[in-house]
Amino acid sequence: MKAIVVSDQTAGTAGTTLTERPAPQPAINDVVVEIHASGFVPTEMEWPSTWTDRAGRDRAPSIPGHELAGVVTALGYGTTGLSVGQRVFGLADSLVSVVGPVEARPAEGLAIDFVVEADRAQLGEIVQRVRDGRLRTNIGTVVSLDDAVAAINATERRKGKTVVRVRP
């Protein structure tokens, strides 16, 4: 499988390459997802969870893109609530941060930035709000996997999230 890989934490986004990687095998309670699209923010290279897992084990080389959408292709022993072939979306580290752009802040109002650990019900509520038009997404650029390294290494600041489309 092709993947965007960064192996050197000090290199930041400049250390990203598009590389062939072996297909992952599910461990106990794991889910393997064929990624159709993934969201990326440049600050991911600075997050501790990009480089170590929750048990403190080294993750290098790392595959950035903490937001994902795709189809379940394999389940590890003991995994419940999902099935092979099911369409899913989620977060690789279950952490959501919401920050509004400066120009979106009300002139005489209060703007709040927040971070939450989302669960399945909360993510479902977010999807419903997007579908209902009560919540707008801020997607700035959508690129193919082949163009992703260049997009990640952009020299200018981009408005909105960069989404890498892996599958049509």
Side-chain angles (χ1 to χ4, degrees), residues 12-150:
T13 58
T16 57
T17 58
L18 185 59
T19 308
E20 283 291 329
R21 300 281 298 165
Q25 299 300 311
I28 294 173
N29 293 320
D30 275 355
V31 176
V32 176
V33 176
E34 178 183 274
I35 304 297
H36 290 197
S38 178
F40 171 81
V41 292
T43 57
E44 281 184 52
M45 295 302 129
E46 301 165 17
W47 298 352
S49 60
T50 298
W51 302 103
T52 56
D53 67 15
R54 290 180 185 219
R57 294 178 298 242
D58 185 24
R59 277 191 166 161
S62 181
I63 299 175
H66 67 288
E67 302 165 338
L68 60 100
V71 175
V72 175
T73 59
L75 299 171
Y77 178 79
T79 303
T80 61
L82 295 168
S83 59
V84 172
Q86 184 175 359
R87 291 174 40 182
V88 294
F89 65 93
L91 303 164
D93 203 294
S94 198
L95 180 69
V96 178
S97 63
V98 177
V99 180
V102 174
E103 61 271 12
R105 297 185 189 274
E108 299 298 324
L110 175 66
I112 299 172
D113 300 335
F114 61 93
V115 175
V116 297
E117 291 226 15
D119 61 22
R120 188 177 196 163
Q122 291 169 330
L123 289 173
E125 176 64 22
I126 290 170
V127 168
Q128 192 58 50
R129 288 178 184 219
V130 170
R131 287 179 178 158
D132 293 346
R134 294 181 287 150
L135 181 64
R136 292 181 319 199
T137 59
N138 187 16
I139 297 173
T141 306
V142 178
V143 298
S144 70
L145 183 59
D146 290 334
D147 296 329
V149 171

